[in-house]
Amino acid sequence: FVTFAPDGPLRQISIPQTRLLKEAAQYLPHKGARRVFLIDHVDRANDQAANSLLKTLEEPPDHLILIMTAENAYDLLPTIRSRAVPFYFAPLEPEEMRAFVRARALDQPERRMALAAGSPGIAMSLDLEAYDKRRAAMLALLKVAAGTEPFATWVPIGESIGRSKSEKLELYLKVLYELLRDVLLLHEGTGEIRNRDIRRELEALAAKVQFAWIRQAVARVDEIAMLIRRNIQKTIALDALILELRATVA
């Protein structure tokens, strides 16, 4: 059993990894009848690596079982999707999550359940202190972008994010997506939000912005998420997002 996970500063599946996979796939198993390769987050493979992977998918050895995971299958090349058998994992039901959290005696169980959205792995691995730090930054971003706070409020936060070498931009974007989801649900008056402890602040944002603003915000965050692979400047990307959204507030 061999795992290929995103590697390097950009956290991607690289060409050297797919070439190594192609070479290693030809070897027979030492024990048993099969070799199993797991490509974790194959949706993080760049175009060249994805095309290299296709050669193995087109003519896999009889002894090889290739498992690939992806958060969004539609981030994959259509040729990769067409050569794979999809399995979709639904979130666990609330009672199943409650039993899981209770069995592992996790701290702040209700909050972990809300943020995990049915994923036991997230519930167990979530660093709430780090999450709260990122959430405070992204909440400040949304307030400034919605025009409820001056841009000067954001400047030191953006600079701090830009200076950090350990905090990846994608971690902030994941939190930003969650906040935008909650703002959308509150704006439309339906569904259960995940960041329940800051409900009042999110309600104030939802009352300030329009649906078109939320949709534009999500679209721009999508663009930044795609540009991460090109090693963009974090501060510049977030500053540009704020200024564009702030200009469209009704």
Side-chain angles (χ1 to χ4, degrees):
F1 185 94
V2 183
T3 299
F4 298 85
D7 196 15
L10 300 183
R11 305 298 297 163
Q12 289 185 322
I13 299 294
S14 64
I15 295 178
Q17 284 178 300
T18 54
R19 288 175 178 168
L20 176 62
L21 183 150
K22 181 181 178 182
E23 179 182 348
Q26 306 306 316
Y27 299 132
L28 293 170
H30 295 294
K31 295 181 180 180
R34 297 283 187 271
R35 298 192 77 193
V36 180
F37 287 1
L38 168 65
I39 306 178
D40 190 24
H41 284 90
V42 70
D43 47 334
R44 295 185 186 176
N46 58 39
D47 290 343
Q48 290 176 308
N51 284 318
S52 176
L53 177 62
L54 271 176
K55 297 177 181 178
T56 304
L57 291 176
E58 288 169 350
E59 298 179 359
D62 293 338
H63 61 264
L64 179 65
I65 296 176
L66 188 60
I67 301 173
M68 302 177 289
T69 69
E71 291 187 30
N72 184 357
Y74 292 96
D75 283 340
L76 303 175
L77 293 176
T79 44
I80 289 182
R81 294 202 307 270
S82 67
R83 287 167 173 78
V85 179
F87 292 90
Y88 297 97
F89 294 91
L92 297 185
E93 294 295 330
E95 287 305 315
E96 293 175 305
M97 284 294 295
R98 190 165 285 107
F100 175 85
V101 171
R102 187 185 305 116
R104 282 156 180 78
L106 299 179
D107 64 311
Q108 302 187 53
E110 292 300 321
R111 189 162 179 232
R112 286 182 179 275
M113 286 175 53
L115 295 174
S119 171
I122 292 177
M124 187 165 59
S125 63
L126 186 61
D127 183 337
L128 290 175
E129 183 177 349
Y131 177 86
D132 286 342
K133 177 185 175 182
R134 296 171 193 139
R135 188 181 68 175
M138 293 300 96
L139 183 60
L141 181 150
L142 288 178
K143 288 180 178 180
V144 175
T148 62
E149 295 285 348
F151 190 83
T153 304
W154 164 253
V155 172
I157 300 172
E159 290 177 349
S160 176
I161 294 174
R163 288 193 302 267
S164 175
K165 301 298 183 183
S166 59
E167 287 281 83
K168 302 299 183 182
L169 182 55
E170 64 181 303
L171 299 174
Y172 286 93
L173 295 187
K174 285 185 177 181
V175 176
L176 184 54
Y177 275 126
E178 292 294 326
L179 293 175
L180 286 169
R181 173 192 178 275
D182 286 351
V183 170
L184 175 61
L185 292 177
L186 291 169
H187 185 273
E188 299 300 313
T190 182
E192 186 62 45
I193 67 171
R194 293 173 184 169
N195 292 280
R196 300 167 189 167
D197 56 316
I198 56 170
R199 186 183 186 95
R200 289 187 178 181
E201 292 178 273
L202 294 175
E203 285 176 336
L205 277 171
K208 174 67 176 177
V209 300
Q210 301 298 319
F211 175 79
W213 185 93
I214 301 172
R215 181 171 59 182
Q216 183 180 2
V218 172
R220 294 299 172 265
V221 176
D222 286 344
E223 291 177 2
I224 296 174
M226 291 297 295
L227 290 171
I228 285 177
R229 298 178 181 181
R230 301 180 185 176
N231 200 22
I232 60 172
Q233 292 292 325
K234 293 184 284 188
T235 304
I236 294 175
L238 295 176
D239 286 356
L241 170 67
I242 291 173
L243 292 174
E244 182 175 347
L245 293 176
R246 194 178 176 93
T248 62
V249 178

